[in-house]
Amino acid sequence: AQSKSPIPHYEVRQLLDHRILKLATLDPERVVAILQEHLCTAIRLEAEALGAPDFETQSWWRIAIEDTEQDLGSAYRDHLLRALRNTLEMWVQADAPAVEPLIRQYLRDEKGILRRLGLHVLHSFPTRYEALVADELRRSENLDDRSIHHEFFMLLREGFRLLNIPDQEALVAAILGGPPPARVRKLAKWAKENQAIDVEEYCRRYVQDWIRDRLVMLRSYLSGKPAKRLDELNEELGHPNFASEFT
């Protein structure tokens, strides 16, 4: 089941991927509101048709808010998301303070795609929203939230330099402390049920990978013991064989 526009696909693409920004120059706030409403409605309709209420809050169908080789979908929601993202970016560049209340709303929204969209704006324009960037980087739960993995990792890379020294040190310490033990145990239990593994070794490797992948996003800012720890992990585990900001 997939939401569709009542107008032909090629017209949807022309409107939402190209012409919408010209319309948005007249009233970006109104265009953003319309696009957001259409996007949320499209996702809700798909959730209802699939009989999967969680689909409305989850955003696994999108690898990243920006365009990637893995996000070439032509679903109506993909077109709507791209149009909403592009309009928001244009609006931020024109009047960042006017957009801030909406970004705050997105960051607390139960819909994963809107929350990720808020983080996307922060890592794309970190100096426009320094207070919000600091707030999100101080939230230790974000470090292990897979639903925002890409956008939060990009925020780590782009926003770390804007933190004061105590906040930088606290963030690095939180990463060096590793993932929540309960989460590691849960993953180890799942892995053991699906394959023969050495649980102790699995947990040790998972924790090391977790720490390395987050430190990698800060590598240009690290020095002293944290930098040495990253070098040790890279030597033992090897560098990530994928872009670290992606799952």
Side-chain angles (χ1 to χ4, degrees), residues 24-25 28 87-99 125 128-129:
T25 59
T87 306
L88 268 175
E89 291 177 348
M90 185 188 75
W91 190 15
V92 168
Q93 292 179 65
D95 189 358
V99 192
F125 306 96
R128 306 283 183 97
Y129 302 108

Side-chain angles (χ1 to χ4, degrees), residues 1-228:
Q2 189 177 102
S3 296
K4 296 182 179 296
S5 169
I7 62 177
H9 174 71
Y10 73 91
E11 291 185 15
V12 170
R13 187 171 64 249
Q14 285 297 314
L15 172 64
L16 296 181
D17 290 358
H18 303 291
R19 298 174 185 158
I20 198 71
L21 290 181
K22 293 183 179 179
L23 183 62
T25 59
L26 302 176
D27 190 343
E29 183 175 7
R30 180 61 177 151
V31 172
V32 163
I34 292 172
L35 290 170
Q36 178 186 323
E37 180 183 3
H38 277 251
L39 175 61
C40 292
T41 299
I43 295 172
R44 176 179 57 77
L45 290 173
E46 289 190 33
E48 292 174 355
L50 291 167
D54 287 348
F55 185 81
E56 192 171 354
T57 56
Q58 295 174 350
S59 62
W60 51 263
W61 50 271
R62 187 77 186 184
I63 300 297
I65 297 298
E66 71 266 24
D67 292 328
T68 71
E69 292 181 355
Q70 299 182 67
D71 285 313
L72 301 178
S74 58
Y76 187 41
R77 54 176 142 79
D78 284 296
H79 287 295
L80 288 166
L81 176 62
R82 285 194 291 270
L84 178 56
R85 177 202 66 204
N86 293 342
T87 306
L88 268 175
E89 291 177 348
M90 185 188 75
W91 190 15
V92 168
Q93 292 179 65
D95 189 358
V99 192
E100 183 170 341
L102 182 62
I103 302 307
R104 288 183 179 275
Q105 175 187 321
Y106 282 0
L107 292 171
R108 300 293 166 259
D109 202 287
E110 64 177 3
K111 293 181 178 62
I113 200 66
L114 293 183
R115 187 177 175 210
R116 291 173 60 192
L117 186 55
L119 290 169
H120 169 83
V121 171
L122 294 189
H123 79 67
S124 299
F125 306 96
T127 58
R128 306 283 183 97
Y129 302 108
E130 292 190 22
L132 291 180
V133 168
D135 286 345
E136 291 304 312
L137 291 179
R138 290 190 194 107
R139 295 180 185 278
S140 58
E141 61 268 26
N142 285 343
L143 285 169
D144 196 53
D145 189 340
R146 290 178 297 168
S147 68
I148 59 170
H149 180 103
H150 171 71
E151 283 70 34
F152 184 73
F153 271 38
M154 294 293 287
L155 187 61
L156 278 174
R157 190 179 73 184
E158 303 300 331
F160 184 79
R161 60 189 170 86
L162 301 178
L163 296 176
N164 59 39
I165 298 300
D167 282 342
Q168 288 182 348
E169 292 175 346
L171 179 55
V172 171
I175 293 173
L176 291 172
R183 167 121 172 102
V184 178
R185 290 193 297 269
K186 183 178 180 180
L187 283 172
K189 180 181 178 181
W190 172 86
K192 187 176 181 180
E193 291 173 351
N194 289 274
Q195 56 185 308
I197 63 166
D198 181 323
V199 172
E200 184 175 340
E201 175 59 22
Y202 177 90
C203 291
R204 186 187 72 85
R205 178 59 185 259
Y206 179 82
V207 169
Q208 288 184 319
D209 283 340
W210 191 98
I211 294 172
R212 178 201 60 185
D213 292 347
R214 285 151 183 78
L215 288 180
V216 162
M217 302 311 298
L218 307 179
R219 59 185 176 273
S220 60
Y221 306 109
L222 299 178
S223 60
K225 291 183 179 179
K228 182 179 179 181

